[in-house]
Amino acid sequence: MNPRYLSVVGLILVTFVGGCASCEQAARATPTDWLTSHGGVESGPLQSRVECSARLLISGCQGRAVSIHILNNDTLTAYSWPNGDVFLSRGLVNALTDAELSAAIAHELGHLLNDGQLKSVVGLNGASTSLDVEERADATGTELLLLQHMSPTAMISMLEKVQKGGGVLRNTRHAIDHRIELLKTASTHR
């Protein structure tokens, strides 16, 4: 286990599918326990694809160290840690086009740029804090995409795939629907 995961103080988890069944339980888990419970870190060809998708976006996060990792599981999920580690599941990476993968990474970077002061678990569904946190990550992620001349509509199609990917709770579906509508409205005003 990489020791820098063990030195993480405070944990921000941002999930795409309400993957934290018990956010209080996840907040008490050690980084080692957390990584083990999520399949551990995978290496291989997917890592190269993710790094390629992330490279330009990370350059827009000046002054923020970011590392991208693949979780060895097939759920459609992603997580951000306050130390700059971003974890994308193998299932998410495999389900998305390159543009959508960039949007997923941009969303997670949006959390790192917006929410770095948070010390608790944050779910994409907004159930553990506020839907506003997810909306801000979407907006910041969309700005990162635009800065790199990437289509912000990929954020919409990424969220639609996550929503249809299974395992999404009813209240999460409604929250994602709301966010998709906000992104569609914003795109018509550009």
Side-chain angles (χ1 to χ4, degrees):
M1 182 65 55
N2 187 328
R4 75 187 179 126
Y5 300 131
L6 300 176
S7 67
V8 175
V9 177
L11 175 63
I12 301 174
L13 298 178
V14 183
T15 67
F16 279 112
V17 293
C20 85
S22 169
C23 292
E24 285 179 26
Q25 195 174 40
R28 289 190 303 262
T30 68
T32 302
D33 292 342
W34 183 86
L35 277 174
T36 300
S37 73
H38 287 81
V41 176
E42 178 179 306
S43 59
L46 289 181
Q47 185 67 37
S48 297
R49 178 177 175 227
V50 168
E51 287 173 0
C52 184
S53 293
R55 192 169 294 121
L56 284 174
L57 295 166
I58 290 172
S59 71
C61 301
Q62 296 173 357
R64 183 80 172 144
V66 177
S67 297
I68 307 288
H69 311 278
I70 307 286
L71 288 172
N72 187 19
N73 73 59
D74 291 320
T75 59
L76 300 184
T77 191
Y79 304 87
S80 298
W81 289 62
N83 70 344
D85 283 321
V86 172
F87 295 90
L88 303 165
S89 69
R90 177 183 57 230
L92 182 68
V93 175
N94 286 330
L96 302 178
T97 66
D98 288 343
E100 293 163 342
L101 179 58
S102 292
I105 293 165
H107 173 89
E108 294 306 318
L109 294 175
H111 278 291
L112 292 175
L113 294 170
N114 294 339
D115 306 330
Q117 76 280 3
L118 295 176
K119 300 294 183 218
S120 62
V121 178
V122 180
L124 181 81
N125 61 9
S128 46
T129 59
S130 162
L131 183 56
D132 183 55
V133 170
E134 297 305 323
E135 292 168 4
R136 284 183 297 164
D138 290 339
T140 301
T142 298
E143 291 302 315
L144 285 171
L145 292 172
L146 288 168
L147 284 171
Q148 299 305 327
H149 308 288
M150 297 177 185
S151 174
T153 59
M155 187 75 70
I156 296 167
S157 60
M158 177 271 298
L159 286 172
E160 290 171 338
K161 281 186 178 178
V162 166
Q163 187 176 44
K164 293 174 186 164
V168 178
L169 302 173
R170 184 174 173 205
N171 67 331
T172 304
R173 263 195 305 277
H174 293 303
I176 293 174
D177 281 339
H178 176 73
R179 291 171 47 214
I180 289 169
E181 288 307 312
L182 287 175
L183 288 165
K184 286 179 178 178
T185 300
S187 71
T188 61
H189 292 93
R190 279 190 182 78

